[in-house]
């Protein structure tokens, strides 16, 4: 169940990030940094979920 929880939190972080961009609360540098950090988190979570489903 932890993998599903991790996936939920990764999705929530992405949605919060997207909302901050829309509301223009982040500078360009922060956007780039946060974007790559979140993409990495989401990719790791997706891979973990794939492995969890196949086990």
């Amino acid at each position: 169940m932890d993998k599903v929880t991790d996936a939920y939190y990764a999705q929530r972080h992405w949605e919060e990030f997207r909302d901050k961009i829309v509301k223009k609360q982040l500078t360009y540098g922060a956007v780039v940094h946060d974007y790559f950090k979140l993409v990495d988190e989401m990719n790791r979570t997706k891979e973990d979920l794939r492995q969890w489903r196949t086990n």
Side-chain angles (χ1 to χ4, degrees), residues 17 20 25 27 38 48 51:
F17 172 73
K20 286 180 182 178
Q25 294 174 343
T27 63
L38 286 169
D48 288 344
Q51 291 175 2

Side-chain angles (χ1 to χ4, degrees), residues 4-53:
V4 174
T5 303
D6 289 347
Y8 171 76
Y9 282 116
Q11 180 181 359
R12 282 297 302 143
H13 289 150
W14 180 259
E15 290 169 357
E16 290 172 7
F17 172 73
R18 187 187 61 215
D19 290 346
K20 286 180 182 178
I21 291 174
V22 169
K23 294 175 184 174
K24 298 181 182 177
Q25 294 174 343
L26 297 174
T27 63
Y28 178 76
V31 167
V32 172
H33 177 266
D34 286 356
Y35 173 79
F36 285 110
K37 186 173 82 175
L38 286 169
V39 167
D40 180 52
E41 178 184 359
M42 288 176 56
N43 287 337
R44 281 186 278 121
T45 301
K46 285 179 186 177
E47 184 61 34
D48 288 344
L49 281 174
R50 274 191 219 113
Q51 291 175 2
W52 181 69
R53 287 180 186 155

